[in-house]
Amino acid sequence: MTKSAVQVKFPYRYDVVGSLLRTQALKDAHAKYNAGQINADELKAVQHEETKKIVAKQVDLGLKDITDGEFNRSWWHLDFLWGLTGVEKYDYHKSYKFHGSKTRTDNAELSGKVAFNPDHPFFDSFKFLESITPDGVTPKQTIPSPTMLFRDNRSDNWSKFYDTWDQYLDDVAKAYHETILHFYELGARYIQLDDTTWAFLISKLNATADDAKAHAKYVKLAEDSVKVINKLLEDLPDDLTVTTHICRGNFKSTFLFSGGYDDVADYLGQLNYDGLFLEYDSERAGDFTPLAKIWNGDQHKRIVLGLITSKSPELEDKDAVINRIKQASEKVPLDNLALSTQCGFASTEEGNKLTEQQQWNKLKLVRDIAKEVWNVD
């Protein structure tokens, strides 16, 4: 059975991006662990207990797919990358400069050839998530896109381990492919690859339009990203949904990148994902014109409109959001659209500037609007 013949189940009409605000109990446990007051097993016990609570909350909201809130990690991307064979943690001594805030200085670098790690800690985390997910609900696993290895100096020393850049890219794609297959073997049927690279490229491709040499560098990054992503997606099981979230940066309610999708729309349209989560919560994202290229006429693919912001507590106007969905449907058929918040609520453990209740109110609004627009349960 081909992918196009499989009935689209996910992304669901109202979907959850991934991360959720860390509970106070989890924050307190991390503080005690860092102070040496509890051990790793005691920390994990608290993490599991708090994960149960936020899974139950998502189920109570009626979400058809749920996540563990990324309660098993500090960073949305680095914790996963550190778990791959051939990648290790180091202090970059520089922070990511968000608009109005700076992050910690953790980073990742190559320590050998990149490969699948059967003992990656995320596998145990998924097994726990699946064990507490009730029947009729799908556990969704989020991981960073492999493109996150190509940026921020993480691949600077690739030539120590590879004769060519293409050999390195092939290994990255293979490591990801095998990782996704192992998640599938553990029961995963919905996996999302989170990616800030495309928003980074939006800013760089536009800024270097008059500098051919600099522009070519970013075109190469875009082309390599398409190549690696599509290679890792080859020959995956037909009943496995793999999506991506195109993120513009999310740290303490701040952001990294601005600009419409025009400069990357052709590349995004080449990606063989089952769905793309696109941030559209502010004018920084531009208009809906590029949607037609991004969807690219693929009847199997869903575009998830991130029209509800996770960065502020104020609830959006329901009618205004419905009107924007109608506008988007002029570019992509309504049947190929869905709704979510523009990002998760805590891409890092610090979290955005709103309360847990305000977070749940946002997700409830996503659900209520989607039920009305698409007439779903």
Side-chain angles (χ1 to χ4, degrees), residues 47-110:
Q47 176 202 316
H48 281 183
E49 191 60 33
E50 296 307 299
T51 302
K52 288 179 182 178
K53 293 176 182 177
I54 57 104
V55 164
K57 191 69 176 180
Q58 292 172 84
V59 172
D60 287 345
L61 275 175
L63 297 179
K64 306 303 181 183
D65 58 279
I66 55 90
T67 77
D68 61 5
E70 300 180 3
F71 278 21
N72 64 322
R73 56 185 114 168
S74 176
W75 299 85
W76 66 275
H77 56 332
L78 294 176
D79 291 76
F80 177 84
L81 297 179
W82 292 328
L84 293 172
T85 297
V87 181
E88 66 180 22
K89 181 178 181 179
Y90 83 108
D91 189 341
Y92 185 40
H93 298 294
K94 295 180 182 179
S95 64
Y96 302 99
K97 295 175 178 59
F98 282 74
H99 291 257
S101 192
K102 293 183 179 181
T103 67
R104 289 163 281 136
T105 59
D106 296 340
N107 208 337
E109 65 179 356
L110 300 184

Side-chain angles (χ1 to χ4, degrees), residues 16-22 67 69-70 142 250 343-347 359:
V16 58
V17 174
S19 64
L20 296 167
L21 294 171
R22 309 308 194 256
T67 77
E70 300 180 3
T142 62
N250 190 45
C343 195
F345 293 88
S347 297
Q359 164 187 264

Side-chain angles (χ1 to χ4, degrees), residues 178-193:
E178 292 178 354
T179 298
I180 290 173
L181 281 179
H182 192 60
F183 275 122
Y184 182 85
E185 291 167 357
L186 295 175
R189 294 297 181 269
Y190 188 5
I191 296 175
Q192 176 182 296
L193 276 60

Side-chain angles (χ1 to χ4, degrees), residues 252-267:
K252 292 183 177 180
S253 295
T254 62
F255 65 94
L256 278 173
F257 307 115
S258 297
Y261 293 95
D262 306 78
D263 290 311
V264 298
D266 286 329
Y267 299 113

Side-chain angles (χ1 to χ4, degrees), residues 9 157 189 203 215 221 232 259 271 278 292 317 335 337 366:
K9 184 176 181 180
N157 60 350
R189 294 297 181 269
S203 64
H215 192 72
L221 174 57
L232 74 88
L271 299 176
L278 302 179
D317 179 82
D335 196 47
L337 295 174
V366 169

